[in-house]
Amino acid sequence: MDSHNHLQGVSSGAGGASFSDLWSPDVMLLTLLFAIAYFLMTGPFHQRFDRATPATTKQKILFVFALILFYAAQGSPISYYGHHYLFSLHMLQQSILYFALPPLVLLAVPEWLWARIFQPKWLKTLLRIMTQPLVAALLFNTLFSFYHIPFIFDAAALNHEWMSVYHVVLLLTAFSMWWPIVSPLSDNQKQLAGLKKLAYIFANGVLITPACALIIFAENPLYATYMQAPQLFESLNTFSDQRLGGIIMKLVQELVYGSVLAYVFYNWYKQEKQDDLPMDQQPAPILMKTPATEEGGV
């Protein structure tokens, strides 16, 4: 198949997708609204909130990166082709939404704003329950695994509204799963530290493995949704696309979890070495300034 015929096949398989299909103006608008709200709340409007401080440069960069990833996953051709033609792109979309996006958002939003969001008592109670490490890990990984059971996946794919609801639930549980790792609230009783955090990250990696293994090592195509879809590339049939999707998911998950594990282990090891130093060699604690000390009071 020469390149001209190959491109013709891709074009016809894409069904003449429009600009709106490929680039989702509604998601583009939503992303823009998120950006405006964030930079107003953490910028000029932060003075309207008690004990609020502007977002740092690092937090702003992380939030912009998170918005780029969100739009890439939900509003770019990754979403369109992943939903209609390529399981591998669908898995790439999921990898971005559930493994890359949540920690970036949790780190990008200032602590005072998280405290403000969860100020209502019922939300605070829900947060406390949903971010218990055991609950958070089991809930996300169980829902994720159920989603990829073939008859559940195909049933959801036939109903766009149910698919959207399931994705929203998965995204929310992904945030709760990441919460004990990133711990955006310093007074959160469920935050983990040291070896407990390492064990929690490792456990999440183990819990998600069966779903990836089911896809990667299946002997036949699993999802009727993609068996019936037009084949965009001659070299990538339904079975190969399915296996590629499982590999993409596992690689992204391993890359993200591995990076976080390395970072957490480094900080834990550094703290352990510091704690082993004699008292006279340990760094002095950093004193936080208060209004009284700044004015010369006690």
Side-chain angles (χ1 to χ4, degrees):
M1 185 177 187
D2 59 29
S3 59
H4 177 71
N5 291 334
H6 178 71
L7 290 174
Q8 280 187 326
V10 172
S11 178
S12 61
S18 65
F19 176 85
S20 179
D21 292 330
L22 295 176
W23 296 103
S24 303
D26 54 338
V27 179
M28 188 182 298
L29 177 61
L30 181 62
T31 305
L32 182 61
L33 290 176
F34 280 147
I36 293 172
Y38 175 83
F39 283 104
L40 285 178
M41 292 279 287
T42 62
F45 289 176
H46 82 275
Q47 296 177 352
R48 301 185 180 186
F49 301 96
D50 186 36
R51 299 180 181 179
T53 56
T56 65
T57 301
K58 179 181 177 180
Q59 287 175 322
K60 293 175 182 177
I61 292 173
L62 288 176
F63 194 78
V64 169
F65 189 39
L67 288 179
I68 292 172
L69 288 180
F70 172 74
Y71 180 70
Q74 287 292 96
S76 77
I78 291 176
S79 176
Y80 177 79
Y81 286 107
H83 181 70
H84 295 284
Y85 302 103
L86 294 172
F87 179 75
S88 54
L89 286 185
H90 179 70
M91 294 298 273
L92 176 61
Q93 177 194 40
Q94 297 223 313
S95 300
I96 294 172
L97 290 176
Y98 308 141
F99 298 109
L101 184 65
L104 290 175
V105 174
L106 291 175
L107 291 171
V109 175
E111 181 177 350
W112 65 264
L113 186 50
W114 282 120
R116 190 82 181 183
I117 292 171
F118 290 102
Q119 191 173 31
K121 187 175 180 180
W122 71 272
L123 272 179
K124 193 176 294 184
T125 301
L126 182 63
L127 176 69
R128 185 171 62 251
I129 295 171
M130 295 292 291
T131 57
Q132 292 186 45
L134 184 61
V135 172
L138 288 177
L139 189 58
F140 169 73
N141 289 290
T142 300
L143 287 176
F144 183 86
S145 297
F146 281 172
Y147 173 72
H148 290 96
I149 294 174
F151 77 89
I152 295 178
F153 185 96
D154 288 329
L158 291 174
N159 189 308
H160 180 71
E161 287 74 23
W162 280 110
M163 177 75 86
S164 298
V165 169
Y166 206 118
H167 283 178
V168 169
V169 172
L170 269 177
L171 184 59
L172 291 176
T173 56
F175 271 91
S176 70
M177 182 271 291
W178 276 101
W179 193 281
I181 301 173
V182 179
S183 305
L185 294 179
S186 58
D187 62 346
N188 181 17
Q189 297 179 353
K190 301 304 176 186
Q191 59 181 315
L192 298 173
L195 290 178
K196 290 183 179 179
K197 186 174 288 189
L198 293 174
Y200 177 78
I201 300 170
F202 180 78
N204 274 283
V206 171
L207 287 171
I208 204 171
T209 298
C212 295
L214 168 70
I215 297 167
I216 296 172
F217 299 110
E219 297 181 354
N220 299 292
L222 298 173
Y223 305 107
T225 302
Y226 293 98
M227 293 181 211
Q228 299 164 3
Q231 184 176 327
L232 295 187
F233 304 100
E234 188 179 67
S235 58
L236 190 65
N237 58 32
T238 303
F239 183 59
S240 299
D241 176 50
Q242 175 182 292
R243 181 165 290 180
L244 177 61
I247 292 172
I248 288 174
M249 173 63 77
K250 190 59 181 172
L251 284 178
V252 173
Q253 174 255 310
E254 292 285 354
L255 177 63
V256 174
Y257 282 170
S259 299
V260 175
L261 267 174
Y263 179 76
V264 171
F265 179 79
Y266 170 76
N267 284 338
W268 171 76
Y269 179 76
K270 184 179 178 181
Q271 184 63 46
E272 287 293 308
K273 294 286 286 185
Q274 181 177 308
D275 292 343
D276 289 340
L277 291 174
M279 289 295 296
D280 58 345
Q281 296 182 24
Q282 292 191 10
I286 300 175
L287 298 178
M288 300 296 293
K289 289 185 178 181
T290 64
T293 58
E294 288 178 352
E295 295 173 5
V298 179

